[in-house]
Coordinates of all heavy atoms in Angstrom, one line a residue:
M531 N 0.9 -1.2 0.0 CA 0.0 0.0 0.0 C 0.9 1.4 0.0 O 1.9 1.3 0.7 CB -0.9 0.0 1.2 CG -1.8 1.2 1.4 SD -2.9 1.0 2.6 CE -3.7 2.5 2.6
T532 N 0.5 2.3 -0.8 CA 1.2 3.5 -0.8 C 0.7 4.5 0.2 O -0.5 4.6 0.4 CB 1.0 4.1 -2.2 OG1 1.4 3.1 -3.3 CG2 1.8 5.2 -2.4
S533 N 1.6 5.3 0.8 CA 1.2 6.1 1.9 C 0.4 7.4 1.4 O 0.6 7.7 0.2 CB 2.4 6.5 2.7 OG 3.2 7.5 1.8
P534 N -0.5 7.8 2.0 CA -1.3 9.0 1.6 C -0.3 10.2 1.2 O -0.7 10.9 0.4 CB -2.1 9.4 2.9 CG -2.2 8.1 3.6 CD -1.0 7.4 3.2
S535 N 0.8 10.5 2.0 CA 1.7 11.4 1.7 C 2.4 11.2 0.4 O 2.5 12.1 -0.4 CB 2.7 11.7 2.7 OG 3.5 10.5 2.9
K536 N 2.6 10.0 0.0 CA 3.2 9.7 -1.4 C 2.2 10.0 -2.4 O 2.5 10.5 -3.5 CB 3.7 8.2 -1.5 CG 4.3 7.8 -2.7 CD 5.6 8.5 -3.0 CE 6.2 7.9 -4.2 NZ 7.3 8.6 -4.7
I537 N 0.8 9.6 -2.2 CA -0.2 9.8 -3.2 C -0.4 11.4 -3.4 O -0.5 11.9 -4.5 CB -1.5 9.2 -2.8 CG1 -1.3 7.6 -3.0 CG2 -2.7 9.7 -3.5 CD1 -2.4 6.8 -2.5
D538 N -0.3 12.0 -2.2 CA -0.5 13.5 -2.4 C 0.6 14.2 -3.1 O 0.3 15.0 -3.9 CB -0.5 14.2 -0.9 CG -1.9 14.0 -0.3 OD1 -2.8 13.7 -1.0 OD2 -2.0 14.0 1.0
Q539 N 1.9 13.7 -2.9 CA 2.9 14.2 -3.7 C 2.8 13.9 -5.3 O 3.1 14.7 -6.1 CB 4.3 13.6 -3.2 CG 5.5 14.1 -4.0 CD 5.7 15.6 -3.8 OE1 5.6 16.2 -2.6 NE2 5.8 16.4 -4.9
I540 N 2.3 12.7 -5.6 CA 2.2 12.3 -6.9 C 1.0 13.2 -7.5 O 1.1 13.8 -8.6 CB 1.7 10.8 -7.1 CG1 3.0 10.0 -6.8 CG2 1.2 10.6 -8.5 CD1 2.6 8.5 -6.5
V541 N 0.0 13.5 -6.8 CA -1.1 14.3 -7.1 C -0.7 15.8 -7.5 O -1.0 16.4 -8.4 CB -2.3 14.3 -6.2 CG1 -3.3 15.5 -6.6 CG2 -3.0 13.0 -6.2
Q542 N 0.2 16.3 -6.6 CA 0.7 17.7 -6.7 C 1.6 17.8 -7.9 O 1.6 18.8 -8.6 CB 1.4 18.1 -5.4 CG 0.5 18.4 -4.3 CD -0.7 19.2 -4.6 OE1 -0.6 20.3 -5.2 NE2 -1.9 18.8 -4.2
D543 N 2.4 16.8 -8.2 CA 3.3 16.8 -9.3 C 2.4 16.7 -10.6 O 2.8 17.4 -11.6 CB 4.2 15.5 -9.4 CG 5.2 15.6 -8.3 OD1 5.5 16.8 -7.7 OD2 5.9 14.5 -8.0
I544 N 1.4 16.0 -10.7 CA 0.6 15.9 -11.8 C -0.3 17.1 -12.1 O -0.3 17.8 -13.1 CB -0.5 14.7 -11.7 CG1 0.3 13.4 -11.8 CG2 -1.6 14.8 -12.9 CD1 -0.6 12.2 -11.4
L545 N -0.8 17.8 -11.0 CA -1.6 19.0 -11.0 C -0.7 20.2 -11.5 O -1.2 21.2 -12.1 CB -2.2 19.3 -9.7 CG -3.4 18.3 -9.4 CD1 -4.1 18.7 -8.1 CD2 -4.5 18.4 -10.4
A546 N 0.6 20.2 -11.1 CA 1.5 21.2 -11.3 C 1.7 21.4 -13.0 O 1.9 22.6 -13.3 CB 2.9 21.0 -10.7
D547 N 1.6 20.3 -13.6 CA 1.8 20.3 -15.0 C 0.5 20.2 -15.8 O 0.5 20.4 -17.1 CB 2.5 19.1 -15.5 CG 4.0 19.1 -15.1 OD1 4.5 20.3 -14.8 OD2 4.7 18.1 -14.7
M548 N -0.7 20.3 -15.2 CA -1.9 20.2 -15.8 C -2.5 21.5 -16.2 O -2.5 22.4 -15.4 CB -2.9 19.4 -14.9 CG -4.3 19.0 -15.7 SD -5.4 18.1 -14.5 CE -4.5 16.6 -14.5
P549 N -2.9 21.7 -17.5 CA -3.5 22.9 -17.9 C -4.8 23.2 -17.0 O -5.6 22.4 -16.7 CB -3.8 22.7 -19.3 CG -3.0 21.6 -19.8 CD -2.9 20.7 -18.5
L550 N -5.2 24.5 -16.9 CA -6.3 25.0 -16.3 C -7.6 24.4 -16.8 O -8.5 24.0 -16.1 CB -6.4 26.6 -16.2 CG -7.6 27.1 -15.5 CD1 -7.7 26.7 -14.0 CD2 -7.5 28.7 -15.6
K551 N -7.6 24.3 -18.1 CA -8.9 23.7 -18.9 C -9.1 22.3 -18.4 O -10.2 22.0 -18.1 CB -8.7 23.8 -20.3 CG -9.9 23.6 -21.1 CD -9.7 23.7 -22.5 CE -10.8 23.3 -23.4 NZ -10.7 23.5 -24.8
E552 N -8.1 21.5 -18.2 CA -8.3 20.0 -17.8 C -8.6 20.1 -16.3 O -9.5 19.2 -15.9 CB -7.0 19.4 -18.1 CG -6.7 19.1 -19.6 CD -5.4 18.4 -19.9 OE1 -4.9 17.7 -19.0 OE2 -5.0 18.5 -21.1
K553 N -8.0 20.9 -15.5 CA -8.3 20.9 -14.1 C -9.8 21.2 -13.9 O -10.5 20.5 -13.2 CB -7.6 21.9 -13.3 CG -6.0 21.6 -13.3 CD -5.3 22.7 -12.5 CE -3.8 22.4 -12.3 NZ -3.1 23.6 -11.8
A554 N -10.3 22.2 -14.7 CA -11.8 22.5 -14.5 C -12.5 21.4 -15.0 O -13.7 21.1 -14.3 CB -12.0 23.9 -15.3
A555 N -12.3 20.9 -16.1 CA -13.1 19.6 -16.7 C -13.2 18.6 -15.6 O -14.3 17.9 -15.3 CB -12.5 19.2 -17.8
I556 N -12.1 18.2 -15.1 CA -12.0 17.1 -14.1 C -12.8 17.6 -12.8 O -13.6 16.8 -12.2 CB -10.6 16.6 -13.7 CG1 -9.9 16.0 -15.0 CG2 -10.6 15.7 -12.6 CD1 -8.4 15.7 -14.7
A557 N -12.6 18.7 -12.4 CA -13.4 19.2 -11.1 C -14.7 19.1 -11.3 O -15.6 18.9 -10.3 CB -12.8 20.6 -10.8
N558 N -15.3 19.3 -12.5 CA -16.8 19.4 -12.7 C -17.3 18.0 -13.0 O -18.6 18.0 -13.3 CB -17.1 20.5 -13.7 CG -16.9 21.9 -13.2 OD1 -17.7 22.2 -12.3 ND2 -15.9 22.6 -13.6
L559 N -16.6 17.0 -13.0 CA -17.2 15.7 -13.2 C -17.9 15.2 -12.1 O -17.5 15.5 -10.9 CB -16.1 14.6 -13.5 CG -15.4 14.6 -14.9 CD1 -14.2 13.6 -14.7 CD2 -16.3 14.4 -16.0
D560 N -19.0 14.5 -12.3 CA -19.7 13.8 -11.2 C -18.8 12.7 -10.6 O -18.0 12.2 -11.5 CB -21.0 13.2 -11.6 CG -22.1 14.4 -11.9 OD1 -21.9 15.4 -11.3 OD2 -22.9 14.1 -12.7
E561 N -18.9 12.3 -9.5 CA -18.0 11.3 -8.9 C -18.0 9.9 -9.7 O -17.1 9.3 -9.8 CB -18.2 11.0 -7.3 CG -17.2 10.2 -6.8 CD -17.3 10.1 -5.3 OE1 -18.3 10.7 -4.6 OE2 -16.4 9.6 -4.6
D562 N -19.3 9.7 -10.1 CA -19.5 8.4 -10.8 C -18.8 8.4 -12.2 O -18.7 7.2 -12.8 CB -21.0 8.0 -11.0 CG -21.7 9.1 -11.8 OD1 -21.4 10.2 -11.9 OD2 -22.8 8.5 -12.3
K563 N -18.4 9.6 -12.7 CA -17.7 9.5 -13.9 C -16.1 9.5 -13.8 O -15.4 9.4 -14.8 CB -18.0 11.0 -14.7 CG -19.5 11.1 -14.9 CD -20.1 10.1 -15.9 CE -21.5 10.6 -16.1 NZ -22.4 9.4 -16.1
V564 N -15.6 9.6 -12.6 CA -14.3 9.7 -12.4 C -13.5 8.4 -12.9 O -12.5 8.5 -13.4 CB -13.8 9.9 -10.9 CG1 -12.3 9.7 -10.6 CG2 -14.4 11.3 -10.5
P565 N -14.1 7.1 -12.7 CA -13.6 5.9 -13.2 C -13.2 6.0 -14.7 O -12.3 5.3 -15.1 CB -14.5 4.9 -12.9 CG -15.2 5.4 -11.8 CD -15.3 6.8 -11.9
Y566 N -13.9 6.8 -15.5 CA -13.7 6.9 -17.0 C -12.2 7.4 -17.2 O -11.6 7.1 -18.2 CB -14.6 7.6 -17.7 CG -16.1 7.0 -17.6 CD1 -17.0 7.7 -17.1 CD2 -16.3 5.8 -18.3 CE1 -18.3 7.2 -17.1 CE2 -17.4 5.3 -18.3 CZ -18.6 5.9 -17.7 OH -19.8 5.3 -17.7
L567 N -11.7 8.3 -16.3 CA -10.4 8.7 -16.5 C -9.3 7.8 -15.9 O -8.1 8.2 -16.0 CB -10.3 10.2 -15.8 CG -11.2 11.2 -16.3 CD1 -11.1 12.5 -15.5 CD2 -10.7 11.5 -17.8
Q568 N -9.7 7.0 -15.0 CA -8.7 6.1 -14.3 C -7.8 5.3 -15.2 O -6.6 5.1 -14.8 CB -9.6 5.3 -13.4 CG -8.6 4.4 -12.4 CD -9.3 3.4 -11.6 OE1 -10.6 3.6 -11.2 NE2 -8.8 2.4 -11.2
Y569 N -8.3 4.8 -16.2 CA -7.5 3.9 -17.1 C -6.3 4.6 -17.5 O -5.2 4.0 -17.3 CB -8.3 3.5 -18.3 CG -7.6 2.7 -19.3 CD1 -7.3 1.4 -18.9 CD2 -7.0 3.2 -20.5 CE1 -6.5 0.5 -19.9 CE2 -6.4 2.4 -21.3 CZ -6.0 1.0 -21.0 OH -5.3 0.3 -21.9
A570 N -6.2 5.9 -17.9 CA -5.2 6.5 -18.4 C -4.1 6.7 -17.3 O -2.9 6.5 -17.4 CB -5.3 8.1 -19.0
F571 N -4.6 7.0 -16.0 CA -3.8 7.2 -14.9 C -3.2 5.9 -14.4 O -2.1 5.8 -14.0 CB -4.5 7.9 -13.8 CG -4.7 9.4 -13.8 CD1 -5.7 9.9 -14.5 CD2 -3.6 10.2 -13.4 CE1 -5.8 11.2 -14.7 CE2 -3.8 11.5 -13.7 CZ -4.8 12.1 -14.3
D572 N -4.0 4.9 -14.5 CA -3.4 3.4 -14.3 C -2.2 3.1 -15.1 O -1.2 2.7 -14.6 CB -4.5 2.4 -14.6 CG -5.5 2.3 -13.6 OD1 -5.4 2.9 -12.4 OD2 -6.6 1.7 -13.7
I573 N -2.3 3.3 -16.4 CA -1.2 3.2 -17.2 C 0.1 4.0 -17.0 O 1.2 3.6 -16.8 CB -1.7 3.3 -18.7 CG1 -2.6 2.3 -19.2 CG2 -0.4 3.3 -19.6 CD1 -3.3 2.5 -20.5
C574 N -0.3 5.3 -16.7 CA 0.8 6.2 -16.3 C 1.4 5.9 -15.2 O 2.7 5.7 -15.0 CB 0.3 7.6 -16.2 SG 1.5 8.9 -15.8
V575 N 0.8 5.5 -14.1 CA 1.3 5.1 -12.8 C 2.1 3.8 -12.8 O 3.2 3.7 -12.3 CB 0.3 5.1 -11.7 CG1 0.8 4.5 -10.4 CG2 -0.3 6.5 -11.5
R576 N 1.6 2.9 -13.6 CA 2.1 1.6 -13.7 C 3.5 1.7 -14.5 O 4.5 1.2 -14.0 CB 1.2 0.6 -14.4 CG 1.8 -0.8 -14.5 CD 0.9 -1.7 -15.3 NE -0.5 -1.7 -14.7 CZ -1.5 -1.5 -15.4 NH1 -1.4 -1.1 -16.8 NH2 -2.7 -1.5 -14.8
N577 N 3.5 2.5 -15.5 CA 4.7 2.7 -16.3 C 5.8 3.5 -15.5 O 7.0 3.1 -15.7 CB 4.5 3.3 -17.6 CG 3.7 2.5 -18.6 OD1 3.6 1.3 -18.4 ND2 3.0 3.1 -19.4
Q578 N 5.3 4.5 -14.8 CA 6.3 5.3 -14.1 C 6.8 4.8 -12.7 O 8.0 4.9 -12.4 CB 5.8 6.6 -13.9 CG 5.7 7.4 -15.2 CD 5.3 8.9 -15.0 OE1 5.1 9.3 -13.9 NE2 5.1 9.6 -16.1
L579 N 5.9 4.1 -12.1 CA 6.3 3.6 -10.6 C 6.3 2.2 -10.4 O 6.5 1.7 -9.4 CB 5.2 4.3 -9.8 CG 5.1 5.9 -9.7 CD1 4.1 6.3 -8.9 CD2 6.5 6.4 -9.3
G580 N 5.7 1.4 -11.5 CA 5.6 -0.1 -11.4 C 4.6 -0.4 -10.4 O 4.7 -1.5 -9.8
K581 N 3.7 0.3 -10.2 CA 2.6 0.0 -9.1 C 1.3 -0.5 -9.9 O 1.2 -0.3 -11.1 CB 2.1 1.2 -8.4 CG 3.3 1.9 -7.5 CD 3.7 0.9 -6.5 CE 4.8 1.6 -5.6 NZ 5.2 0.8 -4.6
G582 N 0.4 -1.0 -9.2 CA -0.8 -1.7 -9.9 C -1.9 -0.7 -10.1 O -1.8 0.4 -9.9
D583 N -3.0 -1.3 -10.4 CA -4.3 -0.5 -10.6 C -4.7 0.3 -9.5 O -5.4 1.2 -9.7 CB -5.4 -1.4 -11.2 CG -5.0 -2.0 -12.5 OD1 -4.3 -1.4 -13.2 OD2 -5.7 -3.0 -12.9
E584 N -4.6 -0.3 -8.3 CA -5.0 0.3 -7.1 C -4.5 1.8 -6.9 O -5.1 2.7 -6.5 CB -4.7 -0.5 -5.9 CG -5.8 -0.7 -4.9 CD -7.3 -0.5 -5.2 OE1 -7.8 -1.2 -5.9 OE2 -7.8 0.4 -4.4
M585 N -3.1 1.9 -7.1 CA -2.5 3.2 -7.1 C -3.0 4.1 -8.0 O -3.4 5.3 -7.7 CB -1.1 3.0 -7.4 CG -0.3 4.3 -7.3 SD 0.9 4.3 -6.0 CE 1.7 5.8 -6.3
G586 N -3.4 3.9 -9.2 CA -3.9 4.8 -10.3 C -5.4 5.1 -9.8 O -5.8 6.2 -9.9
K587 N -6.1 4.3 -9.2 CA -7.5 4.6 -8.7 C -7.3 5.6 -7.5 O -8.0 6.5 -7.6 CB -8.1 3.3 -8.2 CG -9.4 3.5 -7.7 CD -10.1 2.3 -7.2 CE -11.4 2.5 -6.5 NZ -11.9 1.2 -5.8
D588 N -6.5 5.4 -6.6 CA -6.2 6.3 -5.6 C -5.8 7.6 -6.0 O -6.2 8.6 -5.5 CB -5.1 5.7 -4.6 CG -5.7 4.4 -3.9 OD1 -6.8 4.2 -3.8 OD2 -4.8 3.8 -3.3
V589 N -4.8 7.6 -7.0 CA -4.3 8.9 -7.5 C -5.4 9.7 -8.2 O -5.7 11.0 -7.9 CB -3.1 8.8 -8.3 CG1 -2.8 10.0 -9.1 CG2 -1.9 8.3 -7.6
M590 N -6.1 9.1 -9.0 CA -7.2 9.6 -9.8 C -8.3 10.2 -8.9 O -8.7 11.3 -9.0 CB -7.8 8.7 -10.8 CG -8.8 9.3 -11.9 SD -8.0 10.6 -12.8 CE -9.0 12.0 -12.3
H591 N -8.6 9.5 -7.9 CA -9.8 9.9 -7.0 C -9.2 11.2 -6.2 O -10.0 12.1 -5.9 CB -10.2 8.9 -6.1 CG -11.5 9.1 -5.4 ND1 -11.6 9.7 -4.2 CD2 -12.8 8.9 -5.8 CE1 -12.9 9.9 -3.9 NE2 -13.6 9.4 -4.9
R592 N -8.0 11.1 -5.7 CA -7.4 12.3 -5.0 C -7.3 13.5 -5.9 O -7.6 14.6 -5.4 CB -6.1 11.8 -4.4 CG -5.5 12.9 -3.5 CD -6.2 13.0 -2.2 NE -5.6 14.1 -1.5 CZ -6.4 15.1 -0.9 NH1 -7.6 15.1 -1.1 NH2 -5.7 16.0 -0.4
I593 N -7.0 13.3 -7.1 CA -6.9 14.4 -8.1 C -8.3 15.1 -8.1 O -8.4 16.3 -8.0 CB -6.4 14.0 -9.4 CG1 -4.9 13.8 -9.4 CG2 -6.7 15.2 -10.4 CD1 -4.3 13.2 -10.7
W594 N -9.3 14.3 -8.4 CA -10.6 14.8 -8.4 C -11.1 15.5 -7.1 O -11.6 16.5 -7.2 CB -11.6 13.5 -8.7 CG -13.0 14.0 -8.8 CD1 -13.7 14.7 -9.8 CD2 -14.0 13.8 -7.7 NE1 -15.0 14.9 -9.5 CE2 -15.2 14.4 -8.1 CE3 -14.1 13.2 -6.5 CZ2 -16.4 14.4 -7.3 CZ3 -15.1 13.3 -5.7 CH2 -16.4 13.9 -6.2
E595 N -10.8 15.0 -6.0 CA -11.1 15.6 -4.6 C -10.4 16.9 -4.5 O -11.0 17.8 -4.1 CB -10.6 14.8 -3.5 CG -11.4 13.5 -3.3 CD -10.9 12.6 -2.2 OE1 -9.7 12.7 -1.8 OE2 -11.7 11.8 -1.5
V596 N -9.2 16.9 -4.9 CA -8.4 18.3 -4.8 C -9.0 19.3 -5.8 O -9.3 20.4 -5.4 CB -6.9 18.0 -5.1 CG1 -6.3 19.5 -5.3 CG2 -6.3 17.3 -4.1
L597 N -9.3 19.0 -7.0 CA -9.9 19.9 -7.9 C -11.3 20.3 -7.5 O -11.6 21.4 -7.9 CB -9.8 19.1 -9.3 CG -8.4 19.1 -9.8 CD1 -8.4 18.5 -11.2 CD2 -7.6 20.4 -9.9
Q598 N -12.0 19.4 -7.0 CA -13.4 19.8 -6.4 C -13.3 20.9 -5.6 O -14.2 21.8 -5.6 CB -14.1 18.5 -5.7 CG -14.6 17.5 -6.6 CD -16.0 17.9 -7.1 OE1 -16.9 18.0 -6.3 NE2 -16.1 18.1 -8.3
E599 N -12.3 21.0 -4.7 CA -12.2 22.2 -3.7 C -11.6 23.4 -4.4 O -11.9 24.5 -3.9 CB -11.2 21.6 -2.7 CG -11.8 20.5 -1.8 CD -13.0 21.0 -1.0 OE1 -13.1 22.1 -0.5 OE2 -13.9 20.1 -0.8
T600 N -10.8 23.2 -5.6 CA -10.1 24.4 -6.0 C -10.5 24.9 -7.3 O -10.2 26.1 -7.6 CB -8.5 24.1 -6.0 OG1 -8.3 23.0 -6.9 CG2 -8.0 23.7 -4.7
H601 N -11.1 24.0 -8.1 CA -11.3 24.4 -9.5 C -12.7 24.2 -10.1 O -13.0 24.2 -11.2 CB -10.4 23.7 -10.5 CG -9.0 24.2 -10.4 ND1 -8.1 23.8 -9.4 CD2 -8.3 25.0 -11.2 CE1 -7.0 24.5 -9.5 NE2 -7.1 25.3 -10.7
R602 N -13.6 23.8 -9.2 CA -15.1 23.6 -9.5 C -15.8 25.0 -10.0 O -15.7 25.9 -9.2 CB -15.8 22.9 -8.4 CG -17.1 22.3 -8.8 CD -17.6 21.4 -7.7 NE -18.9 21.0 -8.0 CZ -19.9 20.9 -7.1 NH1 -19.6 21.1 -5.8 NH2 -21.0 20.6 -7.3
V603 N -16.4 24.9 -11.0 CA -17.3 26.0 -11.4 C -18.5 26.1 -10.6 O -19.2 25.2 -10.5 CB -17.7 25.8 -12.9 CG1 -18.6 27.0 -13.4 CG2 -16.5 25.8 -13.9
R604 N -18.7 27.3 -10.1 CA -19.8 27.6 -9.2 C -20.6 28.7 -9.7 O -20.1 29.6 -10.1 CB -19.4 27.7 -7.8 CG -18.8 26.6 -7.1 CD -18.1 26.9 -5.7 NE -17.7 25.7 -5.0 CZ -16.5 25.3 -5.1 NH1 -15.6 25.8 -6.0 NH2 -16.1 24.2 -4.5
C605 N -21.8 28.6 -9.5 CA -22.7 29.8 -9.7 C -22.5 31.0 -8.7 O -22.5 30.7 -7.5 CB -24.3 29.4 -9.6 SG -24.7 28.3 -10.9
V606 N -22.5 32.2 -9.3 CA -22.2 33.3 -8.5 C -23.3 34.3 -8.7 O -23.7 34.6 -9.8 CB -20.8 34.1 -8.8 CG1 -20.6 35.3 -7.9 CG2 -19.7 33.1 -8.6
K607 N -23.9 34.6 -7.6 CA -25.1 35.7 -7.7 C -24.7 37.0 -7.4 O -23.8 37.2 -6.7 CB -26.2 35.1 -6.7 CG -26.8 33.8 -7.2 CD -27.9 33.5 -6.3 CE -28.5 32.1 -6.8 NZ -29.7 31.8 -6.1

C-alpha cells in the first residue's frame, strides 16, 4: 500500500503540469464519472512507478477531490 503522503505528492506533481482547462473539466465531473479517467492514470502510474491498478485509482480519486475544492465551477449571484 502506498502512503497518503506519497499519493499527495504524486497528485501535486501531476496538477502542477496540468492545464487549467483540464483541471476545470475534471473538477466538474460527477464522482461516478471519475473511473472513466482512471484507465489513463493506471497506465501512467504503472509505467512510471511500477505500481498496480489500485494506485492509479487512488491517485485519480485524490486528483478529483483536490480539484473539487479548488477548480469547480460554481454559480455566483
Side-chain angles (χ1 to χ4, degrees):
M531 181 174 176
T532 305
S533 71
S535 62
K536 179 68 173 174
I537 289 175
D538 285 340
Q539 182 59 50
I540 293 168
V541 166
Q542 291 308 314
D543 291 346
I544 291 169
L545 291 178
D547 293 331
M548 188 180 289
L550 179 59
K551 185 176 181 179
E552 290 177 19
K553 289 178 181 177
I556 292 170
N558 287 293
L559 285 177
D560 291 332
E561 187 170 11
D562 64 331
K563 304 292 188 228
V564 175
Y566 293 118
L567 296 175
Q568 183 182 338
Y569 178 74
F571 282 91
D572 288 345
I573 291 173
C574 178
V575 169
R576 186 181 306 122
N577 288 343
Q578 290 183 3
L579 302 174
K581 303 290 183 180
D583 292 339
E584 225 21 69
M585 176 117 172
K587 179 181 176 186
D588 293 344
V589 168
M590 186 62 240
H591 198 268
R592 183 70 181 130
I593 286 172
W594 178 79
E595 288 175 337
V596 168
L597 293 176
Q598 280 279 294
E599 295 296 319
T600 60
H601 287 79
R602 192 163 169 223
V603 176
R604 293 174 173 85
C605 293
V606 178
K607 293 183 179 186

